[in-house]
Amino acid sequence: MMNCVKVSSFIHAIRSYKRFCHFESKSHLGFGSLDSPIRASVGIFWDLDNKPPKSFPPFDAATKLKKAAGQFGVVRFTVAYANRHAFSYVPPLVRQQRKERKTLNLLEKSGVVKVEDPYICRVCGRRFYTNEKLVNHFKQIHEREQTKRLNQIESARGKMRVKLVAKFAMKMDKYKGAVRDVLTPKVGYGLADDLKRAGFWVRTVSDKPQAADVALRNHLVDVMDKKMVDYVVLVSDDSDFVEVLKEARLRCLKTVVVGDNNDGALKRTANAAFSWQEIMMGKAKKEAVSVVGRWKDRDVLKRLEWTYDPEVEKKLYYSEVESDDSDGIFSGEDDKEDVGASILKEDAHAWWKLDSCSGHD
């Protein structure tokens, strides 16, 4: 009785803790089973060499991708692989935007163009009527402050480092959110930094051919071997990943491909496929719900289907016969001999003679 009271009080304490501490319960910690069913695990594997977000801002693309993948379950893994050339590459659209920004800065500086709405610093809130003054203000004040924070965190150790990270967390996030719109990245167009800010684990591989594909494939196989995901979301158009998707499907994992090659081998192999346009417009996020519903209905129908398997039927038949034998109908060779002897004894005289007649004879 005391054990039951302790268990009930423990469950009540956990539920109260979840209510007052606003966090999402993790099923692998054991809290999710109290109120909600266990959700499937999702892993996002991004081939940046083959499929960088050229036409969209990297941070927005990564955020929308995670939201769409979140409709299949809880996103546990978000990894991206590429060599250094992918991070130093600048798309033509970004180059054109930078040229237009330089021209506009010169026109603002000379007084030819005057902006109606001032430029607002997203860190401190100060207003400037030319973009060049905003950039100088950002470099002289906020960039230096960010460098000092990073140096303090780097030089600290142990508990002091943890305290500094917690102390500067909000300021550093605010700086990272504002720096992209003000300063031009020194290398590329900020692909790696934006993906890290979106929560992706970004890995740079060697410049050898297919190095990123091999690393991503090995990572995906390792995750499947450890049974850490139920859904695999692959962002690529490279047909070299066809065998990996087939392997995932053989292991009863659902596969989703994000790419723009509609007639590609990857989309034909995967269970579902979306384009970048559908991801950015939010269409993929809405369709994912119906896709999961169709998959669940298909699994239910498969369980209800009856298929004839000779081996299974044979085992079931013999098990029934053995159970009948154990009940005493046929209890062994001796019973079979007794039954046979009684049959022969009965057939010893003609069928039309009565027992009384045979006794007189």
Side-chain angles (χ1 to χ4, degrees), residues 36-297:
S36 59
I38 298 175
R39 297 186 65 193
S41 299
V42 182
I44 303 176
F45 301 88
W46 197 338
D47 178 19
L48 287 174
D49 276 358
N50 182 262
K51 204 65 198 164
K54 297 179 181 179
S55 304
F56 310 102
F59 179 76
D60 295 342
T63 305
K64 293 287 183 68
L65 178 62
K66 288 180 67 176
K67 288 182 179 179
Q71 297 299 316
F72 296 103
V74 181
V75 179
R76 303 288 186 192
F77 301 93
T78 52
V79 297
Y81 281 85
N83 56 30
R84 60 183 181 86
H85 296 295
F87 297 117
S88 60
Y89 171 76
V90 180
L93 181 62
V94 177
R95 293 178 186 175
Q96 184 65 28
Q97 290 175 354
R98 290 181 181 179
K99 288 181 180 179
E100 293 176 357
R101 183 70 261 177
K102 284 183 179 180
T103 306
L104 185 59
N105 287 345
L106 293 175
L107 294 174
E108 288 177 354
K109 186 177 180 181
S110 60
V112 178
V113 176
K114 291 184 179 181
V115 293
E116 296 179 359
D117 298 327
Y119 297 98
I120 301 175
C121 178
R122 291 170 56 186
V123 177
C124 63
R126 290 186 61 181
R127 299 186 177 188
F128 302 90
Y129 286 92
T130 61
N131 185 68
E132 189 174 359
K133 289 183 178 180
L134 173 62
V135 172
N136 293 335
H137 159 78
F138 206 90
K139 287 181 178 179
Q140 292 174 4
I141 298 178
H142 301 304
E143 192 174 25
R144 288 181 181 179
E145 290 177 350
Q146 179 73 358
T147 305
K148 288 179 181 179
R149 295 189 203 104
L150 294 175
N151 291 336
Q152 288 182 20
I153 293 173
E154 189 66 26
S155 60
R157 293 290 181 271
K159 292 183 179 180
M160 181 56 67
R161 185 166 187 167
V162 175
K163 289 181 180 179
L164 288 175
V165 171
K167 180 181 178 182
F168 297 141
M170 292 184 65
K171 293 182 178 180
M172 293 176 69
D173 290 341
K174 201 171 185 180
Y175 173 85
K176 290 178 181 178
V179 67
R180 176 172 178 80
D181 297 332
V182 179
L183 302 182
T184 302
K186 296 178 181 179
V187 179
Y189 65 115
L191 177 61
D193 293 336
D194 280 359
L195 292 185
K196 289 178 182 178
R197 190 157 60 95
F200 275 79
W201 185 73
V202 182
R203 183 63 183 267
T204 306
V205 298
S206 63
D207 295 336
K208 295 180 180 179
Q210 304 296 322
D213 295 352
V214 173
L216 184 61
R217 191 183 306 116
N218 292 338
H219 193 155
L220 180 54
V221 171
D222 181 62
V223 169
M224 289 192 298
D225 289 339
K226 295 178 181 178
K227 298 180 180 180
M228 302 173 76
V229 294
D230 303 307
Y231 292 83
V232 175
V233 179
L234 179 64
V235 185
S236 179
D237 280 332
D238 195 347
S239 59
D240 293 339
F241 291 101
V242 169
E243 297 300 326
V244 181
L245 291 185
K246 289 181 179 179
E247 178 67 21
R249 295 194 64 174
L250 287 175
R251 300 189 188 199
C252 299
L253 300 179
K254 300 298 182 183
T255 56
V256 181
V257 170
V258 177
D260 294 323
N261 191 359
N262 296 325
D263 297 329
L266 282 180
K267 290 193 174 182
R268 292 196 299 268
T269 308
N271 297 103
F274 302 105
S275 64
W276 265 125
Q277 196 70 28
E278 292 173 338
I279 294 289
M280 297 304 295
M281 292 175 59
K283 186 179 179 181
K285 182 180 177 181
K286 296 179 180 178
E287 289 185 357
V289 179
S290 60
V291 169
V292 173
R294 288 199 299 269
W295 288 345
K296 289 181 179 179
D297 294 343

